[in-house]
Amino acid sequence: MFTLAEVASLNDIQPTYRILKPWWDVFMDYLAVVMLMVAIFAGTMQLTKDQVVCLPVLQSTVNSKAQPGTSGKADFTTVETTTGQGEEASMRTVSFGSAPTVTPDIPLSRATSSQYQPTESGQELKKEQKDSSGRKTNLDFQQYVFINQMCYHLALPWYSKYFPYLVLIHTIILIVSSNFWFKYPKTCSKIEHFVSILGKCFESPWTTKALSETACEDSEENKQRLTGAQSLPKYVSTSSDEGSPSASTPMITKSGFKFSADKPMIEVPSVTILDKKDGEQAKALFEKVRKFRAHVEDSDLIYKLYVGQTVIKTVKFIFILCYTANFVNTISFEHICNPKVEHLIGYTQFECTHNMAYMLKKLLISYISLICVYGFICLYTLFWLFRIPLKEYSFEKVREESSFSDIPDVKNDFAFLLHMVDQYDQLYSKRFGVFLSEVSENKLREISLNHEWTFEKLRQHVSRNAQDKQELHLFMLSGVPDAVFDLTDLDVLKLELIPEAKIPAKISQMTNLQELHLCHCPAKVEQTAFSFLRDHLRCLHVKFTDVGEIPAWVYLLKNLRELYLIGNLNSENNKMIGLESLRELRHLKILHVKSNLTKIPPNITDVAPHLTKLVIHNDGTKLVVLNSLKKMTNVAELELQNCELERIPHAIFSLSNLQELDLKSNSIRTIEEIISFQHLKRLTCLKLWHNKIVNIPSSITHVKNLESLYLSNNKLESLPAAVFSLQKLRCLDVSYNSIALIPVEIGLLQNLQHFHITGNKVDVLPKQLFKCVKLRTLSLGQNCITSVPDKVSQLLQLTHLELKGNCLDRLPATLGQCQLLRKSGLVVEDHLFDALPSEVKEVLNQDTSIPFANGI
């Protein structure tokens, strides 16, 4: 037989799960243990002491008749007294003078051995027979054992024999039903995860500090009320909701709650001190709680399983009570047995006694009492389960008692688990709610961030950019450290991938700040900070994925000079971008849009009167509607890159003030419209590079004011003479085409300073090329040139000469006469340079500090 400890182990759960066991579950567990004790006690008694003792019932008619005796013959009767199964029986033999009365059906072999002893007289025997007590049965010990066993199985009701086992089975079923939700795989993992997170949240130092800070703030507010403080906004950031009547509203401000310096609560800042390890653990807990909530709130399996097991226990209670009550009266001490073994015993009826009857009856009544209490608790549990909606949990009380008024209500299994925890201790839910609050998480991030990014560390990350400005780039932080705004000499601030960026009033200390970058960073600003940015910010870069990430305050920066928007702005969302607000940008000069536009938003014309540069970089989306360009009469620089243009847009010819046009990376095949550029008197730079242009029309000669012409990465096979009639041309780039010949007319470009023809099929350099004595940059690499004329020495202003990738055998020694050319500006193979005369190499290796212009 198993022990109580072995069976009770079914009721064991992990100690940490006890917070999910309300008082009724605990009480039912103890009742189950008591029922187990009843079952095991009854079973032990039954196995060791349970037995039935039977005696034959003698027919009265048989006993009253006198059997005809034979005088002179001895008679004997064996009387047995059976004390119980397994015990020895004692027999007493009494001799009589008359013949014995023996049931004829009893075999002689079963009769007790007879001993005939002589008697003095028949009268004495008769007298002795009359004086003897008891009834004669003529049964031996084995027959009594046989009858006792037969009647145990035939006469006793089945419930008396199997009562301990039934109680044990029912109790085990109840125990399993009570703890099944802790064992079922689909719920066990969630419960284990929940209990683990709950314990860590309860013990986290951040929980204590956050609640303590709330208490301090409440105390401070009470002091302010008692002293008649009327100007709460004086100590709160101006970005807070001033109209809120709630005492906890100031805690939700973007910059947090601030105490004035003249208040005695000087120990409040120390409340938020948190070491790095605790801070990292708290941040990990916030992430775990967020993921667990998303995982558990989608399902109500735990709730349904708990309700199901409670219903099963209730049905089990009703079933046990119904059938057990009927068997109380069947347990009796006396029983009549008719074993139908008369051919073996000689008797048809026996009267038996059950020695465990009274004990079993008392145990059964005790068991019924316990199961009734158990059932009433089950009914109460069902009442609790359906009395209130347990699949919804509100933190309203926690929100009222703390400053974290943004703690969300939860539902489904998450809500049910919190309801169960409340039955254990409501403090767990209160401390757990801290990790559901975004305000709390933001405070933790702010504390950890300021602890990690000190002023000294930020100063080490400041660098100088290409414009020789002091620049600080912050990447993937949880927020903007407060120490950033102490860098008063900073010129450029870049904030990238900082989703919770907040710009406080302290930014007004950064008087040198003129350029701000917000890369996937929807920054929020306080009113004072916005006023400063509106008056001082000159350049703003905003990179976003969705148009909603663009902060609304961007369109109100009236002194902004340059605006760069990089992100998704397709035509379907143009109305959502709020470009109509651009009319407030009264000083905007440069607008740069890198997106996927199919048309130029007409609202851009709101800034047309003062816009001087418009840049549109598409991602390959075809720009089909360009009529809005006609209104931008003051635009001096226009870039339409990667817009899948096939021809030069006619709207461009209306831009009378246009000075530079860049149509890079389109699909332009022909430029016959170039003749219309003669109306653009100020056009000096034309960039048609990275297209599919096959030839240059002769009408280009009418664009007389061109100074720079970029035609690289096209499909040109020749350069028409008309190009060389552009006397003002200072830069000509025809690199990476299929040009095989440089026309001799190139000598007419006396103002040419930069000539790029890299990556073509040129094999001969005309002598007229070296008449362009103002050349500073000459790129001839990756061609088929076999020799460089000695007249290269005429290029006295040459600073950059590229010859690498040709078929040269040697370099002319006259290179040494190019006074401004140095080795760093000479791009050739090493063996060609080494073959130069030593005096030439010595000249080329000299350092020079002579300044020279870079040209256009």
Side-chain angles (χ1 to χ4, degrees):
M1 190 68 180
F2 34 76
T3 63
L4 175 63
E6 292 173 337
V7 180
S9 63
L10 296 173
N11 204 27
D12 288 343
I13 60 171
Q14 295 185 22
T16 53
Y17 287 2
R18 298 192 184 280
I19 61 176
L20 294 178
K21 292 187 75 73
W23 68 264
W24 53 82
D25 278 351
V26 175
F27 195 26
M28 284 192 285
D29 287 345
Y30 283 117
L31 288 176
V33 173
V34 175
M35 287 187 282
L36 276 178
M37 294 175 64
V38 171
I40 294 176
F41 176 72
T44 304
M45 294 296 293
Q46 187 182 53
L47 291 176
T48 59
K49 296 186 179 300
D50 193 24
Q51 60 185 355
V52 172
V53 178
C54 300
L55 287 177
V57 177
L58 301 180
Q59 299 295 332
S60 59
T61 57
V62 176
N63 296 333
S64 63
K65 290 182 181 181
Q67 295 290 338
T70 306
S71 59
K73 293 184 179 180
D75 187 12
F76 69 93
T77 301
T78 303
V79 180
E80 296 183 20
T81 302
T82 306
T83 60
Q85 290 180 350
E87 296 181 0
E88 295 182 355
S90 62
M91 294 187 295
R92 179 166 56 89
T93 304
V94 181
S95 299
F96 299 93
S98 61
T101 303
V102 182
T103 304
D105 291 337
I106 299 176
L108 293 176
S109 60
R110 294 178 177 265
T112 308
S113 301
S114 301
Q115 292 181 346
Y116 296 91
Q117 298 179 357
T119 58
E120 295 180 356
S121 67
Q123 296 297 330
E124 294 178 0
L125 290 173
K126 290 180 180 180
K127 185 178 180 180
E128 184 178 352
Q129 184 178 9
K130 291 178 179 179
D131 295 339
S132 62
S133 61
R135 305 292 297 272
K136 294 181 291 185
T137 60
N138 297 323
L139 298 179
D140 60 14
F141 175 73
Q142 287 78 9
Q143 290 172 317
Y144 274 108
V145 172
F146 175 75
I147 284 300
N148 291 344
Q149 293 179 352
M150 285 289 295
C151 290
Y152 181 84
H153 294 285
L154 296 177
L156 289 185
W158 68 270
Y159 194 77
S160 297
K161 294 179 288 186
Y162 300 110
F163 165 73
Y165 307 105
L166 291 174
V167 174
L168 181 62
I169 292 173
H170 293 325
T171 306
I172 290 176
I173 292 175
L174 293 175
I175 291 174
V176 171
S177 299
S178 294
N179 298 308
F180 186 69
W181 68 313
F182 291 127
K183 308 293 184 180
Y184 187 58
K186 290 187 178 180
T187 58
C188 176
S189 59
K190 294 180 181 179
I191 293 173
E192 184 178 359
H193 196 187
F194 173 76
V195 172
S196 174
I197 293 176
L198 186 64
K200 292 178 180 177
C201 292
F202 188 84
E203 298 173 356
S204 174
W206 169 245
T207 313
T208 304
K209 294 180 185 299
L211 295 177
S212 300
E213 184 174 319
T214 299
C216 291
E217 291 168 0
D218 292 341
S219 176
E220 178 65 22
E221 289 177 2
N222 292 334
K223 289 182 179 180
Q224 290 179 1
R225 295 193 194 98
L226 293 174
T227 56
Q230 301 294 329
S231 58
L232 180 62
K234 177 181 178 181
Y235 309 117
V236 183
S237 167
T238 55
S239 64
S240 63
D241 299 328
E242 297 179 1
S244 175
S246 174
S248 62
T249 302
M251 293 302 299
I252 316 175
T253 60
K254 294 178 181 178
S255 63
F257 195 92
K258 299 178 182 178
F259 296 95
S260 62
D262 57 342
K263 294 295 178 180
M265 190 66 67
I266 58 174
E267 67 274 7
V268 170
S270 65
V271 174
T272 60
I273 296 176
L274 201 69
D275 59 46
K276 185 175 182 181
K277 182 179 179 181
D278 291 339
E280 292 299 324
Q281 290 177 349
K283 286 192 286 185
L285 275 178
F286 273 105
E287 186 65 24
K288 287 182 180 180
V289 170
R290 187 182 300 108
K291 291 182 178 179
F292 178 78
R293 180 187 174 193
H295 177 60
V296 176
E297 271 196 314
D298 295 338
S299 170
D300 59 353
L301 178 61
I302 298 178
Y303 172 76
K304 289 180 178 178
L305 191 60
Y306 188 83
V307 172
Q309 71 183 29
T310 305
V311 171
I312 290 175
K313 290 189 292 184
T314 306
V315 172
K316 188 72 175 174
F317 145 71
I318 296 173
F319 170 73
I320 294 173
L321 191 62
C322 289
Y323 90 89
T324 304
N326 295 329
F327 291 104
V328 176
N329 294 327
T330 62
I331 300 177
S332 175
F333 180 73
E334 296 180 356
H335 299 276
I336 300 299
C337 178
N338 299 301
K340 296 181 181 180
V341 289
E342 187 178 357
H343 61 286
L344 298 177
I345 305 299
Y347 295 95
T348 60
Q349 193 176 55
F350 293 83
E351 187 169 349
C352 305
T353 60
H354 185 203
N355 66 331
M356 288 289 296
Y358 294 119
M359 178 64 71
L360 287 179
K361 197 165 187 176
K362 293 178 180 179
L363 291 175
L364 177 58
I365 294 173
S366 301
Y367 175 66
I368 292 176
S369 302
L370 291 172
I371 204 68
C372 285
V373 176
Y374 194 96
F376 289 139
I377 296 176
C378 289
L379 293 175
Y380 173 81
T381 304
L382 288 177
F383 169 74
W384 180 79
L385 286 171
F386 297 110
R387 180 175 60 91
I388 58 175
L390 296 180
K391 292 198 291 184
E392 297 176 1
Y393 189 91
S394 175
F395 285 95
E396 182 177 359
K397 186 176 180 181
V398 180
R399 290 194 290 263
E400 291 175 355
E401 295 177 354
S402 69
S403 62
F404 306 123
S405 59
D406 67 324
I407 300 177
D409 295 338
V410 295
K411 58 184 180 178
N412 290 335
D413 281 346
F414 200 3
F416 176 68
L417 290 173
L418 290 173
H419 279 294
M420 296 295 283
V421 170
D422 280 351
Q423 298 301 316
Y424 183 84
D425 190 348
Q426 293 185 355
L427 184 59
Y428 276 91
S429 298
K430 181 177 181 180
R431 297 176 74 92
F432 189 76
V434 173
F435 288 89
L436 291 171
S437 168
E438 290 187 6
V439 173
S440 173
E441 186 174 8
N442 292 337
K443 283 187 177 181
L444 174 64
R445 289 175 178 172
E446 181 180 351
I447 293 172
S448 301
L449 187 69
N450 293 330
H451 185 270
E452 180 181 1
W453 291 87
T454 60
F455 178 82
E456 291 75 14
K457 184 175 180 179
L458 289 170
R459 174 60 70 184
Q460 294 175 0
H461 284 75
V462 175
S463 60
R464 289 198 173 271
N465 59 15
Q467 290 77 33
D468 197 31
K469 295 181 178 180
Q470 292 195 54
E471 177 182 298
L472 176 62
H473 186 189
L474 299 179
F475 178 72
M476 289 188 70
L477 298 182
S478 59
V480 182
D482 291 341
V484 168
F485 307 105
D486 295 329
L487 301 171
T488 55
D489 55 347
L490 202 64
D491 299 311
V492 182
L493 177 60
K494 290 186 177 181
L495 306 177
E496 183 174 358
L497 292 175
I498 304 179
E500 298 295 332
K502 296 180 181 179
I503 301 177
K506 286 181 63 178
I507 198 173
S508 57
Q509 301 175 176
M510 307 174 70
T511 54
N512 290 340
L513 184 66
Q514 294 189 347
E515 183 174 341
L516 179 63
H517 294 247
L518 302 176
C519 302
H520 301 287
C521 178
K524 300 176 183 179
V525 298
E526 298 181 9
Q527 185 62 37
T528 306
F530 169 72
S531 300
F532 172 81
L533 293 175
R534 181 187 57 194
D535 297 335
H536 292 82
L537 197 63
R538 296 294 181 264
C539 179
L540 177 63
H541 295 248
V542 182
K543 187 175 182 180
F544 52 91
T545 302
D546 185 80
V547 67
E549 296 179 15
I550 302 177
W553 52 268
V554 166
Y555 308 105
L556 302 176
L557 302 174
K558 63 180 182 180
N559 286 327
L560 196 66
R561 300 291 192 273
E562 302 178 21
L563 176 61
Y564 295 80
L565 300 177
I566 305 173
N568 185 9
L569 292 175
N570 57 53
S571 58
E572 296 179 355
N573 293 337
N574 276 339
K575 295 181 180 180
M576 298 176 61
I577 191 175
L579 289 179
E580 62 274 11
S581 299
L582 289 180
R583 63 171 58 95
E584 299 294 331
L585 308 181
R586 299 165 188 165
H587 296 88
L588 191 66
K589 300 296 183 181
I590 299 175
L591 178 60
H592 186 292
V593 180
K594 186 175 183 180
S595 183
N596 55 346
L597 297 175
T598 56
K599 64 178 181 180
I600 296 179
N603 290 329
I604 288 183
T605 57
D606 293 339
V607 294
H610 43 80
L611 196 66
T612 60
K613 182 176 181 179
L614 175 63
V615 180
I616 297 179
H617 285 196
N618 259 10
D619 60 356
T621 303
K622 190 171 184 178
L623 190 62
V624 292
V625 181
L626 297 168
N627 293 333
S628 299
L629 289 176
K630 295 180 179 180
K631 300 179 182 180
M632 300 183 185
T633 55
N634 291 325
V635 170
E637 298 182 34
L638 177 63
E639 294 184 19
L640 302 175
Q641 295 189 16
N642 205 15
C643 297
E644 289 296 317
L645 300 175
E646 296 180 354
R647 303 181 74 91
I648 300 175
H650 289 277
I652 294 177
F653 304 136
S654 302
L655 305 179
S656 56
N657 291 314
L658 190 64
Q659 299 178 14
E660 180 178 333
L661 176 63
D662 188 349
L663 300 177
K664 180 181 179 181
S665 299
N666 284 284
S667 300
I668 300 175
R669 298 179 180 275
T670 178
I671 53 174
E672 295 298 331
E673 302 87 351
I674 202 170
I675 190 174
S676 299
F677 283 136
Q678 63 182 329
H679 304 296
L680 306 180
K681 302 298 183 180
R682 299 185 178 183
L683 185 65
T684 59
C685 181
L686 180 60
K687 298 180 179 180
L688 299 173
W689 46 0
H690 295 271
N691 280 281
K692 301 177 181 180
I693 301 173
V694 178
N695 57 69
I696 303 173
S698 57
S699 57
I700 195 174
T701 188
H702 297 288
V703 193
K704 298 184 179 296
N705 293 323
L706 269 184
E707 296 180 4
S708 301
L709 179 60
Y710 294 85
L711 292 167
S712 64
N713 295 89
N714 279 283
K715 297 183 178 181
L716 299 175
E717 296 183 354
S718 62
L719 291 175
V723 173
F724 306 106
S725 64
L726 302 173
Q727 295 297 318
K728 295 183 179 181
L729 202 63
R730 293 192 293 172
C731 179
L732 177 61
D733 187 355
V734 290
S735 301
Y736 300 102
N737 283 280
S738 299
I739 300 173
L741 179 66
I742 299 177
V744 296
E745 289 83 359
I746 194 172
L748 300 176
L749 301 177
Q750 292 298 309
N751 292 314
L752 190 65
Q753 298 180 9
H754 308 276
F755 181 47
H756 304 274
I757 196 169
T758 301
N760 281 277
K761 300 177 181 179
V762 177
D763 55 356
V764 176
L765 295 178
K767 296 180 181 180
Q768 289 77 5
L769 173 63
F770 303 102
K771 293 182 180 180
C772 304
V773 293
K774 294 183 179 181
L775 272 177
R776 298 178 180 177
T777 303
L778 180 59
S779 300
L780 303 171
Q782 302 179 36
N783 280 281
C784 302
I785 301 172
T786 57
S787 62
V788 177
D790 292 339
K791 290 189 176 183
V792 69
S793 59
Q794 298 177 8
L795 307 178
L796 299 179
Q797 298 184 24
L798 190 66
T799 59
H800 181 85
L801 176 61
E802 179 185 352
L803 294 171
K804 192 172 185 178
N806 284 283
C807 303
L808 298 174
D809 294 332
R810 62 180 184 85
L811 295 177
T814 54
L815 279 177
Q817 299 178 21
C818 299
Q819 299 176 0
L820 301 179
L821 184 64
R822 294 295 177 265
K823 183 180 180 181
S824 58
L826 179 61
V827 183
V828 295
E829 288 81 359
D830 292 339
H831 70 278
L832 293 177
F833 182 81
D834 294 338
L836 286 172
S838 58
E839 60 273 11
V840 176
K841 291 191 290 183
E842 184 178 350
V843 171
L844 295 176
N845 284 325
Q846 287 180 356
D847 293 331
T848 179
S849 57
I850 300 177
F852 57 88
N854 289 328
I856 296 176

